[in-house]
Amino acid sequence: MKTPRHHFPRAAATVMLAALLVGCGDGASSDPAQDAAYVAKIRATHDTPPVMPIAPQRISYGDVEENNLFGVSCAFAPGNGMAVMMMAMPDRAYMKLDGEIVSFAADKGSARMPLGTWAQYDGREYAIRIAQPEGEGPQDGIARVSWTGSIAVLDGKNRPVYEETGTLQCGS
C-alpha cells in the first residue's frame, strides 16, 4: 500500500502566482519621479558611510621636538584643560590622531586669525575649522593672546567628527 503524498494543490499555486503577477503589474512605473527619488535615497544610504568620530590626542613637548613644531602658533586645549590637542601655524596645523602627528594645509582664503594663522586648515581625510568670538582676544602676556574658542574637525563629506570648546592660545 502506498503512502499518500501531500502535494500543494495546483489550483492554489496557480492562484498565488496570478496574485503575484497582478501585484507586480507590467513593470511600468506609476510615478517615475517618485521611483527615481526612492532609488536616489537607497544609493545615498549605501554610498554614505556613517560618521566615525575621532579622538585627538594630546600633543606633547616630545611631539613638538620630534616634528619640529616650533615657532609662532595658536594652540587649542579643550575645556578648561591645558593639554594641547591642535596647533595652528601660518602654513600648517597639526593634530595627533592614533599616535601620529597629522598635518593640515592652511586655507589662506579663510578668515585670518592672530599671528598669521587661519580659521581653516585642510588635510587628506579631515579639515579643521577654528572659531573665535568676535573681536580681539584678551591679552594675557607680552606676545600671547588667549580666549575661549572652539574647533570642529570635519570628514570628507563635511560632517563633524570632533567638536570641542576650550581655550585658544596664540604666541611665539
Side-chain angles (χ1 to χ4, degrees):
M1 179 169 184
K2 283 188 164 181
T3 307
R5 285 189 186 171
H6 294 285
H7 290 290
F8 196 67
R10 287 184 188 200
T14 304
V15 169
M16 285 179 55
L17 183 58
L20 285 172
L21 290 174
V22 169
C24 291
D26 62 0
S29 174
S30 59
D31 185 356
Q34 185 178 15
D35 291 348
Y38 181 72
V39 168
K41 182 178 176 183
I42 296 295
R43 282 191 178 143
T45 300
H46 290 274
D47 292 345
T48 305
V51 173
M52 299 300 291
I54 61 170
Q57 298 163 301
R58 179 180 73 85
I59 298 174
S60 68
Y61 189 74
D63 294 322
V64 171
E65 284 183 326
E66 187 177 313
N67 293 280
N68 195 26
L69 304 180
F70 297 104
V72 173
S73 68
C74 289
F76 174 80
N80 294 323
M82 295 185 64
V84 172
M85 299 294 194
M86 186 274 311
M87 293 178 66
M89 300 175 120
D91 292 322
R92 306 204 67 73
Y94 302 92
M95 291 187 92
K96 187 173 183 178
L97 302 172
D98 297 325
E100 298 292 324
I101 297 294
V102 178
S103 175
F104 299 79
D107 179 347
K108 295 184 178 183
S110 66
R112 286 188 165 275
M113 300 284 284
L115 302 177
T117 60
W118 303 91
Q120 298 180 28
Y121 291 83
D122 298 313
R124 278 193 151 137
E125 294 182 55
Y126 304 108
I128 299 172
R129 303 295 180 253
I130 305 167
Q132 66 178 1
E134 290 294 321
E136 187 73 24
Q139 279 299 118
D140 97 339
I142 293 174
R144 188 173 86 191
V145 292
S146 177
W147 66 92
T148 298
S150 62
I151 66 169
V153 180
L154 310 172
D155 67 9
K157 297 205 179 282
N158 212 29
R159 302 173 303 177
V161 294
Y162 176 80
E163 293 180 289
E164 190 69 59
T165 299
T167 302
L168 283 163
Q169 235 175 31
C170 298
S172 52

